[in-house]
Amino acid sequence: RNNNRSHPESDTDQWLTNRERDVAALVTQGCTNRQVGKRLGITEVTVRHHLTSIFNKLRITNRFQLIAWSYRHGITRPVEVR
């Protein structure tokens, strides 16, 4: 069985729940925890729990790394500047 452990990022996006993907998408758009909570109808504490889970699953430590990961995995697309 191939667990693909040599490339841990190749399937990490499949480890995120739908809600974690929602939180990640909003964070990468620049939303604060409070804004994410209001948009998703959850508390800021729950947002923090989701972020902790996301950071642990992706082996990252901060929002900037989450933004970079999201762009690499197609969760967020760069904004075109005109």
Side-chain angles (χ1 to χ4, degrees), residues 9-65:
E9 281 189 337
S10 64
D11 63 348
T12 49
D13 55 337
Q14 295 173 7
W15 297 349
L16 298 182
T17 65
N18 288 336
R19 182 58 92 185
E20 289 168 344
R21 286 173 176 267
D22 293 341
V23 169
L26 290 171
V27 167
T28 62
Q29 293 172 19
C31 292
T32 64
N33 289 356
R34 178 175 291 173
Q35 291 167 330
V36 170
K38 285 185 178 186
R39 301 257 307 260
L40 298 178
I42 58 178
T43 67
E44 282 185 73
V45 172
T46 302
V47 172
R48 285 197 304 271
H49 287 298
H50 283 307
L51 286 171
T52 298
S53 178
I54 292 166
F55 291 172
N56 288 333
K57 287 179 179 182
L58 302 180
R59 297 183 181 142
I60 61 176
T61 58
N62 59 57
R63 293 166 97 91
F64 179 78
Q65 290 174 330

